Amino acid sequence: MTIERNVFSTKDKLAQALADAVAENLNAGLDERGEASLAVSGGSTPKRFFQVLGARDDIDWENVTVTLVDERWVDESSDRSNARLVKENLLTGSAAAAKFVPLYAGTEEPDASGIAQANGAVAQVPVPFDAVILGMGNDGHTASFFPGGDALEEALNAEGPVVAIRAPGAGEPRVTFTLARLLQTRALYLHIEGEEKAQVLDKALETGPVETMPVRAVLSQSHIPVSLYWCP
Ligand code: 6PG
């Protein structure tokens, strides 16, 4: 397991440093293949980072594709929508020129047809990703790899690219990129803030079952190093 720890004294310093690192990843992709891709998490933690990154004008955003590592199966009018969070905080300013590929397909449930549509949509995202940014919940989930998830095994072991998953702690049904797809990236970040999450991470780093703390699947893989970005 390889984890590079980046610790900051404030949320603003963390957001700035993470935006610097991700900008470098995107620019490396743009230099090498003329296009770049970024997969971001939703939830409450990334808002400040989104605003800092979205304001950067040293990235050729027109050739960048942004998608989500996971999404709640809700319409963009919902304040639970990760797509809405990204559109309102990242895809503003310079980054408004980027292409956004949503995971929510508008069907009532993430049924076979909804997932087929999501898989069709994500086929437009250049692979490998240039940067993937994961969050983590206090229950040890990351992306939508939730403890007790009905499709957790598939999400952690299948190729995907995306699967539907329902879990007691997830609220609404979700759609998530599989672990295999999220690991196909130039750079992999785990962005968490606060003492409580530091304690959850310490526990996840102890040996134990992946099913009870699915973030362990990310922490224990040897495909790509994890860069931890943390502040109190
Ligand atoms: C989601 C996420 C999820 C998130 C964690 C942390 O849609 O809920 O992508 O994996 O990163 O739940 O969420 P917070 O930042 O709100 O603590």
Side-chain angles (χ1 to χ4, degrees), residues 8 72-73 94 122 149 168 213-214 216 230:
F8 300 88
R72 298 105 185 251
W73 203 259
S94 306
V122 303
M213 298 189 84
R216 284 187 173 133
W230 181 84

Side-chain angles (χ1 to χ4, degrees), residues 41-46 69-70 72 82 135-137 141-143 174 197:
S41 291
S44 55
T45 309
V69 303
D70 70 322
R72 298 105 185 251
N82 287 339
M136 185 187 72
H141 82 264
T142 190
R174 306 268 185 130
K197 285 198 181 171

